[in-house]
Amino acid sequence: MKILTPAQKEQFYEEGFLVVEDVLDPIEDIQPIFDEYAIVLDGLARKLHREGVIKSIYAGLPLKERLTAVCVESGRNFPQYFDFSLPQKDIKRDTPIHVGPAIFRTLSHPRMLDLAEDMIGPEIYSNPVQHIRFKIPPRAVAQGPANGLVSSIPWHQDNGVIMPEADEATILTVWLALTPATLENGCMQVARRSHRHGIEAHCASPRGVAMPDRAVPKHDVVPLPMRAGSVLLMTQRTVHSSLENQTHDDVRISMDLRYQPIGQPTGRPAFAPAGFIARSKAHPETELHDAAVWARNWLDVREQLAEDSPVFNRWRSDGEACA
């Protein structure tokens, strides 16, 4: 089913981004994700309680408030327990990863795939470069190196944080707001028409691979508040970042997903076995519909990477400053 109008597609190609409101239903589609993560958080809280790290498991609190309380008391953050991807270093056989069925259902949701089909056609591959982000309030952010899964994201292009093999691929970024994204809790911001200028140099920064300060856009920057269930579409070369969460208690939760035509490089070959054919009009028999198989593929990737140390991006990662 078509979702986008010709005018919306024209805006995407002209500006490098497009906000599509109310793609998923907060109750029917998003609440099952939160229910799944509530179970993950309960297990984590009970583990920390047994270890004497926290004095309470905060069982009576809703998901966002409970996560904040656990982070504040423990003085630690736990993004990897919730992420449905793996980190780019120090992967072990027991590195946490959450690959539950509610996540898979979101990746393969008909509305998400209809949206992707509008932009890249009916042969759709789910790129394994994907994340969940629980942007917690500043008082809950642990001391030490910043982590973009819990704090703000520096300016970058998605092509800039993957390997050159995907420079000519068509990778559609689909950023999904699971909770309202506001100016106060750290919504996304994009640089208009920045996708027209090729791939910028990136370098190592305390918050991960990012564009150097000299290349950060100063003009035509657009903040994008969004309702829960809404989607931000971007090209792989659109320059973007997120604002800081300036609230005392709110947690902004989002997913960043990526889709591309079947057969193109993903830009992260180490994760390739975890990608899957989400839709194929030409060969529907190749589509993956089994969440357990998807989860098993990620666990197999983790097992393999515990033995290897692959390269995840083209830039230096030895502490070179972004300046």
Side-chain angles (χ1 to χ4, degrees), residues 74-138:
S74 67
R76 293 159 55 185
N77 299 147
F78 308 92
Q80 195 54 52
Y81 280 81
F82 304 95
D83 204 15
F84 50 100
S85 185
L86 290 165
Q88 296 187 29
K89 61 180 181 179
D90 302 326
I91 298 172
K92 300 177 175 60
R93 287 184 171 85
D94 61 351
T95 293
I97 183 173
H98 177 68
V99 283
I103 308 303
F104 179 79
R105 286 195 296 270
T106 304
L107 291 168
S108 53
H109 193 289
R111 290 273 294 171
M112 299 293 279
L113 298 182
D114 288 345
L115 197 58
E117 182 171 340
D118 278 350
M119 298 306 306
I120 65 172
E123 305 302 306
I124 303 172
Y125 191 79
S126 176
N127 183 304
V129 182
Q130 55 196 21
H131 296 286
I132 182 86
R133 300 185 190 274
F134 285 76
K135 182 179 285 193
I136 54 181

Side-chain angles (χ1 to χ4, degrees), residues 27-43:
I27 302 302
E28 183 178 340
D29 301 318
I30 295 177
Q31 188 57 48
I33 300 171
F34 292 160
D35 293 343
E36 200 167 271
Y37 277 122
I39 296 171
V40 175
L41 180 56
D42 184 68

Side-chain angles (χ1 to χ4, degrees), residues 194-261:
S194 55
H195 65 304
R196 302 179 181 186
H197 307 306
I199 300 173
E200 300 281 353
H202 289 59
C203 59
S205 82
R207 290 182 291 168
V209 174
M211 291 168 55
D213 291 344
R214 63 182 178 274
V216 168
K218 305 297 192 299
H219 307 287
D220 285 327
V221 172
V222 184
L224 299 169
M226 295 164 54
R227 295 191 292 267
S230 300
V231 159
L232 167 63
L233 302 180
M234 293 182 288
T235 80
Q236 70 265 40
R237 296 188 183 182
T238 302
V239 176
H240 62 283
S241 69
S242 70
L243 297 173
E244 298 281 356
N245 186 345
Q246 303 177 60
T247 70
H248 184 72
D249 290 307
D250 197 12
V251 180
R252 192 219 73 193
I253 309 175
S254 65
M255 286 180 171
D256 38 282
L257 314 177
R258 290 166 184 86
Y259 300 98
Q260 63 189 100

Side-chain angles (χ1 to χ4, degrees), residues 19-30:
V19 172
V20 187
E21 296 283 9
D22 306 321
V23 175
L24 297 187
D25 183 89
I27 302 302
E28 183 178 340
D29 301 318
I30 295 177

